[in-house]
Amino acid sequence: MSIVAPSILSADFGNLERELHTLRESGADYVHFDVMDGLFVPNISFGLPVLERVRQLTDLVLDVHLMIDRPLRYVERFCKAGADIVTVHVEADTPENVRAALEAVRNCGKVPAVCLKPATEAAAALPYLDLCGLVLVMTVEPGFGGQSFMADMMPKVTQLRRAITERKPGCRLEVDGGVNLETAPVCTAAGADVLVAGSAYFHAADRAAFVSSLHAL
Ligand code: DX5
Ligand code: ZN
């Protein structure tokens, strides 16, 4: 059974409490929370004060995807604000600092995770696998919701699934970007077990049916 993580980047921010309530009622597992700083990606979303409020409004797993430059500066604060999983991009700092960020997340008792942009090879995640509870493969260029799924990322997902099976069983493998009813089965067939869906989830006529379809994969 796949884990379903709606990205609240596509939620109605004027009704966030209601959206989070619906999210739980529809059977979703994680709340995917996209943080963008306008530097690492060409967009700005939301950050710590919003996460603190979301933490008060839901008991679902908070899956925080940091699309920010030099995340080491902020990971502890995201943990304290209520994140359960904190994902940093391998491209966002030096290898030493990426590792230090993951260690800081682990020292807070939270789940560390690394993310790869489309141009980054699977091998870039391997030095961190020992520390990670989740690896995230971007299936669009990070920065915006509503983009088209990049099917050519599937070999990377399969490579990482193999590495995880060999070296870190239990580590989750997440995909993010353009995931919908048509592309989700492609992702799970390649080896993904956590599916982020932003626009497809929030625009679904029946959100519970959408989640059930993905759970069934
Ligand atoms: C993109 C974000 C995604 C985004 C996915 O940079 O990381 O989480 O919200 O949105 P959809 O599912 O619409 O591609
Ligand atoms: Zn994301």
Side-chain angles (χ1 to χ4, degrees):
M1 186 166 131
S2 302
I3 289 172
V4 181
S7 164
I8 57 169
L9 191 61
S10 294
D12 174 1
F13 300 136
N15 292 292
L16 203 46
E17 182 167 12
R18 197 172 68 204
E19 294 278 54
L20 288 164
H21 188 70
T22 312
L23 208 141
R24 196 182 207 307
E25 296 224 306
S26 68
D29 306 288
Y30 296 175
V31 177
H32 186 82
F33 189 93
D34 287 305
V35 180
M36 304 181 186
D37 66 352
L39 282 171
F40 184 73
V41 288
N43 197 7
I44 297 175
S45 57
F46 36 65
L48 290 159
V50 178
L51 184 66
E52 278 172 19
R53 186 68 184 125
V54 168
R55 177 73 288 168
Q56 292 169 350
L57 295 172
T58 186
D59 56 4
L60 293 179
V61 171
L62 291 184
D63 171 28
V64 175
H65 176 193
L66 295 180
M67 285 164 275
I68 68 173
D69 202 33
R70 291 173 290 136
L72 177 58
R73 300 173 295 154
Y74 287 101
V75 284
E76 272 183 30
R77 274 184 270 178
F78 278 99
C79 289
K80 292 204 173 88
D84 295 300
I85 302 168
V86 179
T87 304
V88 300
H89 272 263
V90 299
E91 308 89 356
D93 207 336
T94 62
E96 294 73 26
N97 286 345
V98 169
R99 194 162 184 90
L102 297 169
E103 283 168 351
V105 173
R106 186 185 60 184
N107 293 342
C108 288
K110 309 296 184 174
V111 176
V114 286
C115 183
L116 306 179
K117 288 168 76 170
T120 306
E121 310 239 319
L126 301 184
Y128 310 106
L129 212 50
D130 59 319
L131 272 169
C132 288
L134 180 146
V135 174
L136 171 53
V137 175
M138 290 308 300
T139 42
V140 296
E141 283 299 337
F144 300 91
Q147 303 180 76
S148 297
F149 179 74
M150 298 168 72
D152 53 337
M153 293 298 112
M154 294 305 100
K156 193 195 291 191
V157 172
T158 301
Q159 267 178 276
L160 285 165
R161 170 51 67 199
R162 276 198 213 109
I164 287 169
T165 303
E166 277 172 26
R167 294 161 59 166
K168 195 72 192 289
C171 180
R172 299 277 183 198
L173 183 53
E174 182 176 54
V175 283
D176 182 8
V179 176
N180 55 35
L181 290 174
E182 286 75 46
T183 59
V186 178
C187 297
T188 54
D193 59 4
V194 184
L195 303 166
V196 176
S199 41
Y201 172 83
F202 283 97
H203 297 155
D206 183 340
R207 293 179 185 179
F210 179 86
V211 172
S212 301
S213 305
L214 266 52
H215 271 160
L217 296 171

